[in-house]
Amino acid sequence: MRFILGPCAIESLEHALMMAEMLRYIQMQVRQETGVSIEVIYKSSYSKANRTKKSSFHGVGLTEGLHILSQVKEMTGLKVTSDVHSVKEVIKAGHVLDVVQIPHQMCRNTELLQAAGKTGKIVSVKKGTFMNPRDFEHVVAKIRESGNTEEIIAIERGNHFGYGNTVVDMRNFGILNQKEDEFDTGHYNTDPSVSMCIDATHPGCGPDGAKRLAKAGVAAGADMVFLEVHNRPSEAPCDGACMINLKELKDLIVQIVKIHEVVHEAVVKRP
């Protein structure tokens, strides 16, 4: 099972390396406690380009951010990922990132999707909160048209039900995860290289809500979990109220792994 983990935004090289090493240690603890080897992909943004307020923390920038992520990759051996916001960024970021992530606001941007595909890397796309899950097949098609044959990660983060109220419809996992269309409309994601991930870190739900959402998403069919985590959430420069405290992460991952094992066993045994 795989987890995309890390602080919302890159703060410094020292902080990034500390966080990555702690995540590696938690990875080892989970293996010792459960016997299950998990993969951690380190995520932290070099630029928070889609903030509501101009005065909000916007990150360390492309050049410094990619340098820091390259050091995390080299020093810890973890794969790294970050958001990209333009074709120009993709060209530079593709040399460092193992997974190129498309923000949910830009999930239908054809040029950006195809540029990400042309890197030859894994592409993760946050499904827009405005998007019908059946339309995600067009996102996949745009990436595949670039010649990319690598894995595509579909990150489910819910849909807006009124202003500022994001709700995850658990039926979406069956559609996005290639298995079924709950409404039997004939629209299926048939690409076997598309993986399903639950983004549990939502503004407004807080860390306790994020924990519940992560477990519910895995129970509903996700086989990856996206969580923003921090050693001191109250001191984080952005989204601190949403992030999981690093001290609580190991126990949460153990619970999620156990849920995933039960769901996987049920699927394997299903006639």
Side-chain angles (χ1 to χ4, degrees), residues 4 12 66 72 84 107 119 130 232 263:
I4 301 174
S12 67
L66 290 178
V72 168
V84 294
C107 67
T119 64
F130 51 82
R232 294 178 180 175
V263 173

Side-chain angles (χ1 to χ4, degrees), residues 4-5 26 63 82 87 95 113 119 128 131 133 142 155 157 165 167 177 179-181 184 186 201 215 218 225 259 271:
I4 301 174
L5 304 170
I26 290 170
T63 301
S82 190
V87 172
H95 294 294
L113 290 167
T119 64
M131 179 180 276
K142 290 176 182 181
I155 302 180
R157 66 189 321 268
N165 185 30
V167 179
N177 207 21
K179 303 296 188 293
E180 57 191 291
D181 186 330
D184 196 26
T201 310
K215 289 182 279 189
V218 171
V225 175
I259 292 170

Side-chain angles (χ1 to χ4, degrees), residues 79-104:
K79 292 179 180 178
V80 296
T81 185
S82 190
D83 298 311
V84 294
H85 309 90
S86 69
V87 172
K88 186 177 180 180
E89 277 187 26
V90 171
I91 294 170
K92 294 181 178 179
H95 294 294
V96 174
L97 303 181
D98 298 287
V99 181
V100 180
Q101 182 171 293
I102 308 297
H104 78 99

